[in-house]
Amino acid sequence: MTETTEGPARRTRIFADLTPLRTSPDYRRLWFGNTVSWIGQGMTSLAVSLQVYDITGSAFSVGLIGFCSFLPLVVFGLYGGAVADTLDRRKLGLVSASGSFALSVVLLAAAVAGVEQVGLLYAVVALQAACFAVNAPARSSMIARLLPAEQLPAANALNSMTSTTGMLAGPMLGGLVVGWWGYRAAYTVDVITFTASLYAMWRLPVMLPQREEGSGDKRASVADGLRFLGTRPNLRMTFFTDLCAMVLAHPRALFPVVAVLWYGGDAKTTGLLVAAPALGALLGGVFSGWLGRVRRHGLAVLLAVAGWGAAVAVFGLTRQLWLGLIFLALAGCADNTSMVFRNTMLQTAVPDEMRGRLQGVFIVVVAGGPRLGDFLAGSVSDLASPGLAVTGGGIACVVAVTLLGLRWRGFARYDAQNPQP
């Protein structure tokens, strides 16, 4: 009997905790629907990039896809968070998901009709980014209402597996589908998979924001959310630490360069470098059973971000591909750990009436930080060298997060059983 009871406990400590999926049918549907739709969206993202290149033959035109999505993510991330703190989050999630579904139908219809207009593709990408920016704060705010606080780290680890699976499997499947059957097939799969997300949203209960007594029924504003964040040092630190990692130590823009200069590789080598952090993040989610037992979430974030910076710094010193991939995977695992605890802090230490707006800020930081990091890494590489940009950035990340931890010492003492924003 002893062995029987210890076996599952040992597995739980090693592998992802599936308790949220077992105990909450609503969360289970939401997780499954998001997992399926993330893969479909990953396929569409690659298909759009390939189609733009086929039409224009220009790498610059492909790069404009990211620019078209950036501004809507920032603007509608903040606005969507405020709306999520005003309206029924289920309804908002359903409407924004329906908008994304309709835009996927537009891509499919254009492909079937043989319309090859880059402007149309850019417009659809921008509108999809706006729908996602409105949907994400509403969806993230729901999770804290569907599950008890002690299950949130496990739920966020499972959510990370959803996004990383979509980033890994979606583009790979998209390349195969486009290669074998064309763009219409890829967009068709996206339309079909999106129905899983719509169904999950449809089955959720009504979820109006819970306001504190005496706060009234006023419309939520972005400014109020930013003022709230300005007076909560632990919550601010969740964003500051992420910016340390994503701005100072984000080598993604240099992968095509280092693939050639350091490893003597080509586009396939670049693909391996891009996939390694995502694979590390996925493995971090798979082996995340221990996260639920960590109480010092702030300290865990500081160590994870420092781990990201250290792994990136060592990656900048490697000249063997297999070793470089290992350190990139370790960086991705550290980033996944940081994300789980940062998200959990936002869900537990923030009043429900503010969760949407803080999740909106989270979207802005996640969208903007890596793009600033790409610019910084590229600039330092051109002025000095790729090695200095990568290794120097990793060291700068470790130093910066250490200084932040020393400046706001209370963050390292943050206790999940007594969350203080």
Side-chain angles (χ1 to χ4, degrees):
M1 180 65 70
T2 302
E3 293 181 0
T4 302
T5 56
E6 288 182 354
R10 187 176 294 111
R11 287 195 296 271
T12 300
R13 286 195 295 268
I14 296 174
F15 294 105
D17 185 357
L18 304 181
T19 302
L21 296 175
R22 291 196 299 265
T23 59
S24 174
D26 287 326
Y27 175 76
R28 184 166 60 246
R29 282 190 291 267
L30 188 64
W31 182 85
F32 177 77
N34 288 337
T35 300
V36 174
S37 64
W38 262 98
I39 294 174
Q41 290 170 69
M43 293 177 60
T44 291
S45 177
L46 181 71
V48 169
S49 298
L50 292 173
Q51 191 171 12
V52 167
Y53 188 74
D54 279 349
I55 295 172
T56 65
S58 166
F60 176 77
S61 298
V62 177
L64 283 178
I65 296 174
F67 177 78
C68 290
S69 65
F70 175 66
L71 189 60
L73 282 173
V74 172
V75 174
F76 286 91
L78 292 173
Y79 177 74
V83 175
D85 286 338
T86 303
L87 305 177
D88 175 13
R89 288 164 180 163
R90 170 198 174 265
K91 184 179 296 184
L92 180 63
L94 187 60
V95 170
S96 55
S98 298
S100 295
F101 173 79
L103 290 166
S104 295
V105 173
V106 170
L107 287 175
L108 174 58
V112 171
V115 176
E116 294 187 345
Q117 295 293 330
V118 175
L120 174 64
L121 297 176
Y122 287 157
V124 169
V125 166
L127 291 173
Q128 283 181 329
C131 288
F132 172 81
V134 173
N135 182 271
R139 188 176 63 246
S140 298
S141 302
M142 294 175 187
I143 295 174
R145 297 272 294 274
L146 297 176
L147 297 168
E150 62 270 16
Q151 293 184 20
L152 290 177
N156 287 317
L158 291 170
N159 293 341
S160 73
M161 292 170 63
T162 290
S163 57
T164 51
T165 298
M167 288 188 291
L168 281 171
M172 287 191 296
L173 292 174
L176 293 175
V177 171
V178 170
W180 288 340
W181 299 296
Y183 299 112
R184 285 180 291 182
Y187 297 144
T188 299
V189 172
D190 187 27
V191 170
I192 294 172
T193 56
F194 229 114
T195 58
S197 180
L198 289 173
Y199 173 76
M201 285 286 181
W202 180 264
R203 291 291 303 274
L204 290 175
V206 172
M207 214 169 296
L208 291 167
Q210 294 176 335
R211 302 192 180 279
E212 294 182 358
E213 188 174 351
S215 64
D217 192 30
K218 62 181 180 180
R219 182 176 297 275
S221 72
V222 174
D224 286 342
L226 295 177
R227 280 194 289 269
F228 174 84
L229 180 61
T231 60
R232 303 303 192 273
N234 285 335
L235 296 179
R236 288 201 309 273
M237 277 288 286
T238 64
F239 297 113
F240 289 161
T241 52
D242 187 52
L243 288 173
C244 286
M246 293 297 103
V247 176
L248 299 176
H250 196 253
R252 179 184 61 186
L254 302 181
F255 285 163
V257 177
V258 304
V260 176
L261 295 182
W262 296 357
Y263 306 120
D266 52 16
K268 294 178 182 178
T269 308
T270 302
L272 290 175
L273 295 174
V274 171
L279 180 60
L282 179 60
L283 292 175
V286 171
F287 297 100
S288 62
W290 59 277
L291 298 181
R293 299 194 305 279
V294 176
R295 291 179 52 181
R296 302 279 291 278
H297 288 185
L299 180 60
V301 170
L302 292 173
L303 293 175
V305 173
W308 161 277
V312 170
V314 177
F315 163 70
L317 300 174
T318 63
R319 294 301 180 268
Q320 292 181 304
L321 180 59
W322 65 270
L323 191 58
L325 294 175
I326 287 175
F327 279 100
L328 285 177
L330 290 174
C333 184
D335 183 53
N336 180 78
T337 302
S338 166
M339 184 278 300
V340 168
F341 289 121
R342 286 185 291 108
N343 237 333
T344 301
M345 293 173 72
L346 288 176
Q347 291 164 339
T348 55
V350 178
D352 187 68
E353 62 179 313
M354 285 284 181
R355 282 189 185 130
R357 278 165 284 187
L358 270 293
Q359 288 293 339
V361 176
F362 182 83
I363 293 295
V364 172
V365 170
V366 169
R371 287 166 173 80
L372 291 175
D374 288 342
F375 175 76
L376 180 61
S379 299
V380 174
S381 177
D382 283 347
L383 293 173
S385 68
L388 180 62
V390 177
T391 298
I395 294 172
C397 171
V398 175
V399 171
V401 78
T402 301
L403 293 176
L404 284 173
L406 293 173
R407 171 61 180 84
W408 285 283
R409 296 175 184 270
F411 185 68
R413 296 190 297 268
Y414 179 94
D415 189 341
Q417 295 188 356
N418 183 30
Q420 297 296 322

